Every structure is written in C-alpha cells, then in structure tokens.
Amino acid sequence: MDAPKVKIYGLVAEFTTPTQIVDAANQAREAGYTAMEAYTPFPVVDLHEAVGFKRTMLPTLAFFGGLTGFCTAFSLETFTSGGAPSFITPFLPDWFYYPLNIGGRPLNSWPAFIPPEFELTVLFASITSVVGMLLLNGYPRIYHPLFNVPRFSMVTSDRFFLCIEARDSKFDLQGTKQFLEGLQPYEVSEVPE
Amino acid sequence: MATEVSPKGPNLRPDPQPPMVEGKYNFDSMTEKIAGVIFAATPKGWIVGFAIAFMILQVLLVSVTYLIYEGIGIWGVNIPVGWGFDIVNFVWWIGIGHAGTLISAILLLFNQTWRTSINRFAEAMTLFAVACAGLYPLAHMGRPWFAYWLLPYPNTMQLWPQFRSPLEWDVFAVSTYFSVSLMYWYIGLVPDFASVRDRAPNQLLRMFYGILSLGWRGGSMHWHRYETAYLMLAGLSTPLVLSVHTIISFDFAVSNLPGWHATIFPPYFVAGAVYSGFAMVINLAVPIRHYYGMKDFITDKHLDNMAKVMLATGLMVFYGYGVEAFMAYYSANEFERDLMMKNRVFGPYGYFYFALIFCNGLVPQILWFQKIRSNEAALFIISLIVNIGMWLERFVILMSLQRDFLPSSWGQYSPTFWDISTYIGTFGLFLSLLFLFCRILPMISIAEMKHLLPESHVHSHKDSHDHSDSAHGGSH
C-alpha cells in the first residue's frame, strides 16, 4: 500500500440505469463493503436496503415532536386561562395566570382549546420531520468531496453513482477499483478528499 | 432481456394507468426541459406580464400605506356591517390556497400520479394566496404594528389571548398552515435546486442554487429519509388543510347569528375552498402550459381530472346552498327564515345571490360533457366564473349583517374606493410572486416527474444473478 499524494475520499462508479445501480449495490454489500452510498437523481425503490441501511427513526421523532406540540398548547391554554387543577394553580407564576371570567363560564373550557392544540401538534410534528430529515442527512452541507468529480454533477440528471468510501476497512485502492470495474460501470473515478 | 419473465413470478412492471407524460423524454431531456426555462433568455411576454403585475402591486402598496396613515375609516365597514371586503377577500384567498395542499398532499396519499406535474405551482399558488389572505386581518386591525399581540407570549402587561375565540384559532390555523405549506414546498424543491445547480451556466448561479439546495447529493439514505419526511408531511397536511377552513368557518358558525350558526358551515366551506382552488389552478395551468410549452407534462388528461374534481366539489357546494335554505325553512324560526328570504334571496343584494347560484351551481354543470372538459378555453372561462361565484358566496354570507334585528339599526354596506383598490392590489402581489416563481424556480417537480418515465423502474433480477436473489430475499 503506497500512500497516494492526494488524500482519497473513495472510489465512485457511474451507472446509467436504476437496475444497474441496485445490482451493483447488492453485489458490493455481499462482497463485504459497508461504508458505501448510492447516489441517484430520484428515489430508487429499496436502494437504501441494498447499501445496507435499514430504516430511519424519523417517524418516531415526528411522533414525539407532535406530542410536544400538543402538550405545549394544552398547558399554555389551560394554565394561562386558570383552568389548571387547584393544586397546580398556586405554583404558577403571576405572569402565567390570566383567568377570564366571561358570564361565569368554566375556566377549564377544554373543548374550546382543541383547535390550537391540533394546530400546534401538526406544526411541531412537521418541523420535526423536516428539520430531523435535514439534520440526519447531514444537511446543510454545501461542499462535499464528491463534487470534485466532474461527472458527478450528472447525478441530478440521469446518472447513478455508487461510492465506496476509503474509511471502509475492506477498502484498497487497487482491489476496490478492480471490483468496481467488474460491475460493468460506465466509468470508475477516484474522489479526492 | 426485456421480454424475459422471471420463473419465480410474474413481471411486476407497474404500468396500469395511461401515461401522464406525452412525447418522448428521457431523464436528461426532462431535466433540461424544466430546468432549462430558468437559464433561457427572459421571454418578452414574461417582462410585459411581470411589469403589469408589478404595477398592480403598487396599487396595494398605496392602499395599505394610506390605510395605515388614515385608519380603517377609509373602508366601507361600519356598524352593523363590521366585516366587509376584508374578510370576504381573506376567506376567498385562503380558499384558493387549499387546492394546492389538496393536490400536493391528499392526492399523494391516494397515489394519484397525475398530481406530479401540477403540484409544484399549485403549492406556490397556496403560499402566495395565503400571503394575500394574511394581509387582510393584519390590515383590519387598524394598528397592524401591534399584530404580535395576537400571539401568546409573556409580556409586561401579563395578558394572554382569549384561546376560546375563533379569531384566536385563526391565528394558530393560518400561521401553521403557512409554515407547513412553506416547508412542504421547500423540501420538495431541494432536489430540484440541486438539478438546477448542476446545470448553472456560471459560478454565481451555481452558488445561489447550491446554497438553496443545501448541498443535496441524492444519496439513497437521504432519499429514504426524504421520502419518509415527505410522506409524513402529506399525512400531516391533510387534516391540517381541512382544519384551516373549518376554523375559518367557525368565525361565522360559532357566533349566534341566524344563518351563520349552522353545522353545515365547516364541510361546505372546505368543499367551496377546494372548488375555488381548483378553478384557480386551471386558470394558472392553462396559460403556463401554453406559454412555456409544457403540454407534454400538463396534459389534457390533467385538465380533465381537475375539471372533474371541480364538478364534484361544485355539487357539494350546491348541495350546501340547498341545505342552508332547507334548514332555514325547517327550523320554523322566523329570524332564520327572514334572513334567508328577505335578506339573502330577495334582500338588498338579492341579485348577488342569484348570480352566485348561476356561477357556482349552474355554469359548472356543463362540465359533465367530455367535449367541454377537453376544451381549454372553455375550462378557463368556467374557472373564472367559478372564482367569481365563490367570491360572491362569501360576500352574500357577509351581507347578512345588513339587516339587524331592529329595523332602526339596519344599514347598507357598500365598498369604498379603497376597499376595491386593496382587493385589486392583492392580485398584483399574487401575480408578481407567481411571475417570479416561474422565472427563477423549477415550476414542475423534476425528481418526481422522472418517476413517471418507464425507465425509472427497477427490473426484476437478471438470471445471471441467481445467487444474489436468495441472499437479497432475506432482507425484505
């Protein structure tokens, strides 16, 4: 193993059809590679499983986001309206207690509190989904080593790329290159870090 | 290899529906067709159109400036009609927005692939319509610089909003609706920003779209999380869009006023919102597909489908009018009956009621004919009429306020110059934003459109990979 002059991020193979990229990812996984990722212009069904990714925790996050939204609205409305049970009320700060007595109607009018509760549940769950998706994916990240490969710009048009990263324990510049060539790609290129 | 069928089962190449893309396209030419609009020379028609829209926007600017300077006395609202053009237009604009969410969220959940080519600009329409709508409650406050008082926040006055009021529910509903629509629209745009970035002719544009794309690379895990998030947003937006117009109808229905205090209000407001929204989508789709040569993507089949949705929701709305009249009669309550007959149908603005029945109830019935649904000029005109009709509906509902319960407190509402100029001005805002959208953003979803091409499907495993079949089967 001779150390290359430029640090290498990985090797990337270019394919022209979705079927090819799924087959290539399956073979790479079966060959024992773990640190790899397939890049496509549109979501390809089950490709994430082919590269060895199971499932995302996003729905769980969104559920708890929604729950937080509901609890926020519920406590905000109930506590400020003076609708909290009497063992809680003495502990509320002055600025968080504003009972409105209108015609003797109950302070804890929970049915009227439902619309804001619903809206905040939806709002918090949506924000969690979107922000969670971006952060789990590592975005925003404007620069990435892959952008050093000129042909990689076609990933947003009609080309499919499989990248085996140098941090993979099985990675070996020559051997991995030969392996990728064996998958009949359009081209294999090195990705400088 | 194409005709070979795997011995383990049938060839599961899904293609049950008629194609939603006409003409011959591959992934690259499709990207070029949609993203190419952005880097092409600015069309002359665009410059003229934008200039006109921008001039109309100045009408809004002047109207709102004068309103803030002078106060809402410049409008025609006064007791007994405390709500006039401002709430009519607020409800009208919000309603138009609803079709965008319906197309992007509900049709996605129902797996209606034809939504793909119209969802982007329908969502844009939603955002711009909600922006126009949002102006009205702010302007109507008289002191819009205190608008933040509507929000619950700890303040030195130790005051909190009245959470039992439908007007406070509006604050939550409309702001949530705008935020969620904006996020939905933006994450839909992210992969397309990346497509545009990679086609940018110079470094500056590449940086601009690169920043907007957040550096999107299209990794398979990214797509997996992306699709999960997109689907969840669709699932969340669906009840949200229904709740928004329900809550807006509560502005009327929760009051104790005869003719407003009716359980039919929420469903028929929602149906009416979708109705006018689809009419507006057709009003926008027809010129866009014409001037940008997008007839391969927004096909006659799309217009036909939208016309059918319009017809269906139109019938629901028409049914709503019938129920309203019947409930007034069946309640045996003289105030309900008087309101319906003496105020609405034969009242001071009675001719508006008949115009509304004509626009919303009768005209759309010709959509039953296939010939009409495939004629884009006819569809355009019908959609305009429906939009006018839905505006009249809200106006007629509001004009119930003219006849108070004592003849001595009756009054007549008529819009002033400034009412009308504000309304016209919001069209300037709406159209200016739309023109900018068509110019600088991909107006059709590039990544999603690629799904409609047959070559996007992964074919069943080739025979040469028998060993991978068995290993792969376990992971499902």
Side-chain angles (χ1 to χ4, degrees), chain A residues 20-146:
Chain A
Q20 280 180 339
I21 187 86
V22 173
D23 285 343
N26 275 324
Q27 288 182 43
R29 192 190 69 245
E30 281 152 19
Y33 290 105
T34 48
M36 60 174 167
E37 174 63 301
Y39 300 89
T40 57
F42 53 86
V44 174
V45 181
D46 291 342
L47 185 58
H48 65 282
E49 289 179 349
V51 299
F53 181 70
K54 288 295 170 225
R55 59 189 297 181
T56 172
M57 64 198 288
L58 211 49
T60 320
L61 284 181
F63 172 78
F64 284 103
L67 198 63
T68 310
F70 173 81
C71 294
T72 307
F74 177 83
S75 43
L76 177 72
E77 292 176 299
T78 316
F79 292 174
T80 59
S81 307
S86 51
F87 64 87
I88 292 182
T89 315
F91 299 104
L92 293 177
D94 275 356
W95 56 267
F96 206 58
Y97 184 72
Y98 187 63
L100 288 167
N101 184 343
I102 296 163
R105 290 183 180 81
L107 292 177
N108 184 16
S109 40
W110 62 267
F113 294 158
I114 289 175
E117 284 162 8
F118 173 79
E119 301 298 335
L120 280 203
T121 308
V122 169
L123 181 65
F124 279 45
S126 306
I127 292 176
T128 318
S129 317
V130 172
V131 175
M133 183 272 285
L134 292 177
L135 292 183
L136 287 174
N137 281 346
Y139 293 122
R141 181 175 179 184
I142 306 296
Y143 168 77
H144 192 274
L146 276 167

Side-chain angles (χ1 to χ4, degrees), chain A residues 18-19 27 37-40 43 46 48 80 95 98 102 107 109 112 118-119 137 139 141 144 153 156-157, chain B residues 28 159-160 162 164 169 195 198-199 214-215 217-218 220-223 225 240 243 450 455 459 465 476:
Chain A
T19 312
Q27 288 182 43
E37 174 63 301
Y39 300 89
T40 57
D46 291 342
H48 65 282
T80 59
W95 56 267
Y98 187 63
I102 296 163
L107 292 177
S109 40
F118 173 79
E119 301 298 335
N137 281 346
Y139 293 122
R141 181 175 179 184
H144 192 274
S153 69
T156 55
S157 176
Chain B
D28 191 51
L159 292 174
W160 291 89
Q162 166 60 298
R164 302 170 188 87
W169 301 344
S195 289
D198 291 341
R199 284 174 179 259
L214 307 172
R217 302 186 293 283
S220 65
M221 301 175 205
H222 300 174
W223 277 120
R225 293 196 188 100
L240 176 66
S243 82
K450 287 175 183 164
E455 54 263 50
H459 304 303
H465 296 147
H476 283 290

Side-chain angles (χ1 to χ4, degrees), chain B residues 160-426:
Chain B
W160 291 89
Q162 166 60 298
F163 290 111
R164 302 170 188 87
S165 161
L167 298 177
E168 182 64 20
W169 301 344
D170 262 1
V171 175
F172 281 89
V174 176
S175 56
T176 300
Y177 185 49
F178 186 78
S179 316
V180 173
S181 301
L182 184 65
M183 287 191 290
Y184 196 49
W185 190 60
Y186 183 70
I187 71 159
L189 272 165
V190 163
D192 288 358
F193 280 139
S195 289
V196 176
R197 166 197 71 198
D198 291 341
R199 284 174 179 259
N202 61 50
Q203 184 66 22
L204 194 69
L205 286 170
R206 186 152 50 246
M207 280 165 67
F208 175 70
Y209 287 104
I211 289 168
L212 286 176
S213 76
L214 307 172
W216 182 260
R217 302 186 293 283
S220 65
M221 301 175 205
H222 300 174
W223 277 120
H224 175 60
R225 293 196 188 100
Y226 175 90
E227 284 198 299
T228 310
Y230 202 68
L231 203 60
M232 285 196 299
L233 274 192
L236 289 164
S237 309
T238 300
L240 176 66
V241 67
L242 299 181
S243 82
V244 171
H245 230 67
T246 300
I247 288 175
I248 284 169
S249 81
F250 284 167
D251 291 346
F252 304 90
V254 169
S255 72
N256 271 330
L257 202 71
W260 287 11
H261 191 61
T263 48
I264 190 75
F265 262 46
Y268 115 80
F269 263 59
V270 172
V274 174
Y275 186 38
S276 63
F278 265 90
M280 189 58 106
V281 175
I282 292 178
N283 275 343
L284 299 178
V286 168
I288 283 181
R289 75 182 205 136
H290 190 79
Y291 289 112
Y292 283 101
M294 293 292 180
K295 287 193 181 178
D296 288 340
F297 298 158
I298 305 171
T299 64
D300 291 340
K301 179 79 185 139
H302 287 93
L303 294 182
D304 184 64
N305 281 352
M306 288 192 276
K308 283 177 184 163
V309 175
M310 211 163 80
L311 178 60
T313 46
L315 288 171
M316 293 179 209
V317 171
F318 202 26
Y319 171 78
Y321 300 149
V323 168
E324 231 180 5
F326 175 75
M327 291 210 302
Y329 158 75
Y330 198 64
S331 69
N333 178 309
E334 59 184 299
F335 294 105
E336 293 274 357
R337 285 183 181 178
D338 273 16
L339 177 113
M340 191 66 210
M341 295 312 288
K342 292 189 191 154
N343 191 353
R344 255 182 215 172
V345 182
F346 298 109
Y349 279 116
Y351 47 94
F352 276 25
Y353 185 83
F354 289 104
L356 125 83
I357 295 292
F358 174 76
C359 292
N360 282 355
L362 301 181
V363 170
Q365 299 309 320
I366 56 174
L367 291 174
W368 287 102
F369 299 102
Q370 167 72 39
K371 258 219 161 70
I372 302 290
R373 291 202 306 269
S374 57
N375 180 339
E376 56 175 21
L379 275 180
F380 187 81
I381 293 167
I382 294 171
S383 303
L384 275 183
I385 294 175
V386 166
N387 268 323
I388 294 168
M390 285 308 297
W391 187 89
L392 288 173
E393 177 203 301
R394 279 71 179 244
F395 186 76
V396 164
I397 290 174
L398 254 294
M399 288 309 112
S400 314
L401 292 170
Q402 292 185 125
R403 292 287 176 263
D404 219 325
F405 301 104
L406 285 174
S408 59
S409 38
W410 285 8
Q412 174 96 29
Y413 171 83
S414 56
T416 62
F417 171 81
W418 295 106
D419 277 309
I420 296 166
S421 70
T422 312
Y423 182 45
I424 292 172
T426 49

Side-chain angles (χ1 to χ4, degrees), chain B residues 118-136:
Chain B
I118 49 173
N119 75 333
R120 172 69 45 74
F121 76 79
E123 285 170 42
M125 180 193 80
T126 296
L127 284 172
F128 305 152
V130 175
C132 292
L135 276 174
Y136 282 101

Side-chain angles (χ1 to χ4, degrees), chain B residues 47-100:
Chain B
I47 297 175
V48 174
F50 181 70
I52 294 172
F54 200 67
M55 275 178 348
I56 304 175
L57 176 60
Q58 308 314 308
V59 176
L60 180 70
L61 193 69
V62 171
S63 307
V64 171
T65 309
Y66 185 55
L67 177 89
I68 292 172
Y69 170 76
E70 186 69 26
I72 61 164
I74 64 168
W75 285 352
V77 288
N78 209 335
I79 303 300
V81 184
W83 288 354
F85 257 40
D86 43 349
I87 194 152
V88 172
N89 298 335
F90 167 70
V91 178
W92 188 76
W93 275 118
I94 286 262
I96 281 174
H98 281 18

